[in-house]
Amino acid sequence: MGSVSNNTINTNVKACSPLTGAKRLREMLKDPSKVVVCPGVFDGFTARLALAAGYDALYMTGAGTSMSRLGWADLGIATLNDMKSNAEMIASLNPSVPLIADADTGYGGPIMVTRTVTQYARAGVAALHIEDQVQEKRCGHLLGKQIVDREIYFSRLRAAVMARDQLQSDIVLIARTDSRQTYGFDEAIERLQEAVKIGVDAVFLEALQTKEEMEKVCQIMGETPVLLNVVPGGVTPEYTIEEASKMGFRIIIYPGLCIGSVLESVGKELKLLKTTGKSSPRSSANGVKDAFNLCGLQECIEIDKEAGGKAYATVGK
């Protein structure tokens, strides 16, 4: 008997969902008044919390994936297999909710980029972004980034577009450039303009430094959707969703949203136990049961019951 995959049990969406995440995202981007807001998630638990909060789309952060799965900072250590398997698990929790996933540099030359796009598309990812850093990349808001030549970057994007088209996939391709910090705003714009000619669906200018730059990139890119990366404490000024929408941004991601919350709350709880010898009142059995319910306990019990099973008859009581 074969093993059961993450996609086998999907308790949040009916099997006959009319739209996949990729198709739904494309529908969202067709509406010029719609802004796609994505909290950054990095595992099944944070993804479940975001889904329960009612978000229309999610963003799988590469930094969060590297730290949660490997325990290491975002320095290009996570591989295609690390990223793809995490994205597939998150996307499977509710396939009708679009998941935008970090794909770093595509993990190699054109052949590897083709493989990356193919695997992400088959994993149910709605969109991915590919950047122009060297393979030994780092978080977009850290200093000292090294950028590849234009033609290397464009070859990555051409490979991604070819893979999407050959698959006849709806996956949304986002061209990300980190060249603003090293070569300036104009170079970054020219790279993105060429990316649109190559055939990407949206663009992402990382580490914008002023409000004027934020407004200008949206004006220049016209009808092409522009993604805004919101990193509190980063180099890009932070504005509300409404303010960013008025500037022209169509996709807004908050990659560190859950990272910061977990770092603060869990760190505080661990310190409390270490110093006082007991946990806070909320760290109780009821809290664990609430977490189980968040992660599909009742739906699994119902599946077992409808199939005639009795193994979990008393679990939910």
Side-chain angles (χ1 to χ4, degrees):
M1 181 180 293
S3 61
V4 178
S5 71
N6 284 330
N7 293 321
T8 302
I9 298 177
N10 173 27
T11 59
N12 283 351
V13 65
K14 295 181 180 179
C16 58
S17 295
L19 293 178
T20 63
K23 287 183 178 178
R24 190 174 295 277
L25 180 59
R26 287 187 176 274
E27 289 295 318
M28 291 178 179
L29 294 176
K30 286 180 182 178
D31 181 355
S33 66
K34 175 71 176 179
V35 180
V36 181
V37 178
C38 308
V41 301
F42 52 82
D43 61 8
F45 195 53
T46 53
R48 287 281 195 176
L49 286 166
L51 290 170
Y55 283 92
D56 293 331
L58 306 178
Y59 176 71
M60 188 194 82
T61 157
T65 298
S66 183
M67 288 187 285
S68 65
R69 292 181 66 88
L70 306 178
W72 288 98
D74 184 19
L75 296 173
I77 299 171
T79 65
L80 168 58
N81 290 339
D82 296 321
M83 298 288 282
K84 175 260 179 181
S85 62
N86 200 39
E88 182 175 31
M89 178 273 296
I90 293 171
S92 75
L93 296 176
N94 190 333
S96 69
V97 174
L99 174 67
I100 301 174
D102 189 348
D104 295 318
T105 62
Y107 309 105
I111 295 172
M112 275 302 297
V113 172
T114 298
R115 188 165 181 259
T116 296
V117 172
T118 299
Q119 292 204 11
Y120 270 48
R122 289 175 176 168
V125 172
L128 60 82
H129 58 76
I130 292 177
E131 67 202 46
D132 54 1
Q133 288 195 53
V134 297
Q135 296 300 327
E136 296 82 8
K137 59 147 290 177
R138 63 191 64 191
C139 172
H141 285 250
L142 293 177
L143 297 176
K145 291 181 289 185
Q146 297 181 52
I147 308 301
V148 298
D149 292 340
R150 285 189 180 194
E151 280 310 310
I152 294 176
Y153 177 45
F154 297 153
S155 71
R156 293 175 183 174
L157 299 180
R158 290 189 196 102
V161 169
M162 287 190 296
R164 178 200 64 196
D165 294 347
Q166 288 171 0
L167 288 169
Q168 297 184 324
S169 171
D170 291 307
I171 192 168
V172 174
L173 300 180
I174 305 170
R176 165 177 159 171
T177 181
D178 288 71
S179 60
R180 166 65 185 88
Q181 183 186 93
T182 306
Y183 298 118
F185 181 79
D186 291 341
E187 171 67 17
I189 288 293
E190 289 177 14
R191 289 185 176 223
L192 295 183
Q193 288 176 320
E194 182 62 26
V196 174
K197 293 178 183 177
I198 289 170
V200 303
D201 303 293
V203 296
F204 172 6
L205 203 167
E206 177 66 302
L208 290 157
Q209 296 188 9
T210 65
K211 181 180 180 181
E212 290 70 28
E213 287 186 357
M214 296 169 73
E215 293 173 334
K216 192 172 181 180
V217 66
C218 294
Q219 293 168 359
I220 292 172
M221 300 315 301
E223 295 183 358
T224 301
V226 181
L227 180 150
L228 173 64
N229 185 20
V230 179
V231 180
V235 300
T236 302
E238 187 173 357
Y239 293 92
T240 66
I241 293 171
E242 182 179 1
E243 289 169 334
S245 174
K246 289 180 178 178
M247 292 180 198
F249 291 101
R250 300 293 312 286
I251 306 170
I252 307 177
I253 60 173
Y254 294 81
L257 189 69
C258 292
I259 296 172
S261 299
V262 168
L263 183 67
E264 181 178 355
S265 62
V266 176
K268 182 179 179 180
E269 187 64 36
L270 289 169
K271 185 176 180 180
L272 179 67
L273 177 62
K274 182 72 173 178
T275 56
T276 68
K278 60 181 180 180
S279 62
S280 63
R282 68 175 177 275
S283 300
S284 62
N286 287 336
V288 172
K289 186 174 181 180
D290 288 343
F292 283 176
N293 285 329
L294 173 74
C295 294
L297 173 63
Q298 299 304 321
E299 290 87 344
C300 289
I301 292 172
E302 188 62 27
I303 289 171
D304 185 67
K305 180 180 177 181
E306 291 184 5
K310 298 181 180 179
Y312 304 109
T314 61
V315 170
K317 295 182 180 180

